[in-house]
Structure formats: structure tokens, C-alpha cells
Amino acid sequence: MSERLRIGVFDSGIGGLSVLRHLVAVLPHLHYLYVGDTARVPYGNKSADTIALYAAQSAAFLRNRGVDMVVVACNTVSATSLPVVEAVAQVPVVGMIEPAVRAALEATRTNRIGVIGTRATIESQAYELALYAHSRREGLAVFSHACPLLVALAEEGWLAHPATYAIVEEYLRPLLEAAVDTLVLGCTHFPLLAEVFEQVAPLHLIDPGYWAARQVQQILGIPNSEHPLRHAPHIEYFVTDISSNFAAVARQFLGFEAYPLHRITLDHLVPSTL
Ligand code: DGL
């Protein structure tokens, strides 16, 4: 039964492939449909209204394809527009915030948690509010910081470049001064820079994509797969633009080729629920 489940995964662009990678590792036998709005990325610098409209269009596309569940791989969409996606998708929706928040609260020893993400994610305060809402202990302190430059550095493949170290140090300084012991990597691109973060400071790093994949596994009630896949995972990719470096950047996020790749248009999909 579970082998036939169709999981829709969507993101503002290529970054969500870092989440799909975890899903495929944890749940290799499902059928995945990945939507990347590569024509309109980045979402992280846009207003909440625009992000909600774009997110609704991706959700409508996946609903029309009959998926059984939607995973919102984009932290910016998860932070600003999850209720809109839920209304449009009409199937269970898993975002990045809740799984990451639970993991961060488990990981912290000092009750001081840092969150980094795009400007829209940080301005929404979604991580902060969810952390405070789920914390059962007194005295939780959350410190958030927008790190927009890291998106471009990850896509450029500057994963161990001296410039990346310098920028990560600069961005982390206020969080380290606040003595956080746990850091939520609240953007699809940041887990690619995990080694840089590890070198700059010894923190518990929380990769929301990994914890979201575990949540999907829990919801579906599928035990850990004992049988490795004997064939390539069943994934179809739908993107709104294909740039000349798409294949190379996608491979970096996914770990293998993004194929078969379909070019789609989303902007005619204005769901009636909006
Ligand atoms: N996918 C976005 C996120 O996780 C990063 C890229 C963007 O700004 O659209 O927040």
C-alpha cells in the first residue's frame, strides 16, 4: 500500500532538493513529485502576500496531480504560508518548522537556541513563536538572525570557501555572544554549509529537512526500510525555469541527477480558496 503513496514536495527553487534527499533516504519506496519554482526564486526577500500566492499555486499543482501528502520543503513558505497551503492542498501537509522545533528543544542543554533563515522567515517569527509554544521548560531564550547571503554562497558551491567562513562568522557573532548551544538551520540551503558552521562554533545543528522526513515517516507509520532500493528512486521533477547551471546545482543539493525534469507554468493556477 505504502509503495503507491504519492508525496508532493515543493520549494521556491532548487534548495528543497536538500529536503527531498532526506525523504528519499528515509522513505525510498514512495513516489515523489518535486515542484521547484525556479523562475520566481528567491522567495526569502518577498512579501508574505506574494509568497502565499506562489505557495498556493504550487500546492494547487500538486493537488491536481493527486498527491496523498504535501511536504513544504521551503522554510520561507513554511514560516509564512502554511495555513494557505493546507487549505489548498486538501491532504496532510508537513512543513519545516514543527519538526525542527521539536528537535531543537530536545537538543538544547542550555535552553538557548539560535535560528537562522531568510529575511521573510526571520521576520515572520514563526520559528521563535513555535519554540516558545512547544517548550515545556522555564527560561527558554531564542535568538534569530537573517542570513540572506548564504543562499547565494550555497548555490555557487562555495561550501568551504574562505569568503563563506568570513560571512558565517559575521552572521553567527550575535548568536554566539548570546551563548546559544543549538542552531536551527532554517533555510533549505544552510545544511550544505554544515561543515562551515561546525568549524566556526561547536553547536547542535538542526537540519529541518531531516526531522521533517522523520515526521513524514511517523505520520505514514512506515518502519525504517531494511531493504535498500534495487532501482532508482521514483521521483518526477517539475520546475518553472531551467537555467544553464540547473543540473549542476541540483546535483549538489540532491546528491544525484534530477531526472526526469519537466518545465511547467504555475501562474495560471489561482486556487479558489485564496
Ligand atoms: N527555499 C528557501 C528557504 O528555505 C530559500 C531560498 C529562497 O529565498 O527562496 O527559505
Side-chain angles (χ1 to χ4, degrees), residues 10-16 18-19 34 37 40-46 51 72-79 96 116-121 127 148 151-152 155 185-190 253:
F10 81 89
D11 179 50
S12 55
I14 287 169
S18 71
V19 176
Y34 180 89
D37 193 4
R40 300 187 293 196
V41 70
Y43 287 4
N45 302 324
K46 294 188 167 65
I51 297 164
V72 182
C74 183
N75 287 260
T76 300
V77 171
S78 301
M96 294 297 110
I116 54 174
T118 64
R119 218 178 282 293
T121 297
Y127 270 112
V151 171
E155 285 197 16
L185 303 177
C187 172
T188 46
H189 290 55
F190 299 173
F253 279 77

Side-chain angles (χ1 to χ4, degrees), residues 53-66:
L53 172 66
Y54 292 175
Q57 290 169 335
S58 286
F61 177 86
L62 289 168
R63 182 193 61 202
N64 294 347
R65 298 241 156 194

Side-chain angles (χ1 to χ4, degrees), residues 139-164:
L140 174 71
V142 182
F143 304 86
S144 305
H145 202 67
C147 303
L149 292 174
L150 300 185
V151 171
L153 292 168
E155 285 197 16
E156 199 59 24
W158 286 18
L159 308 185
H161 193 285
T164 307

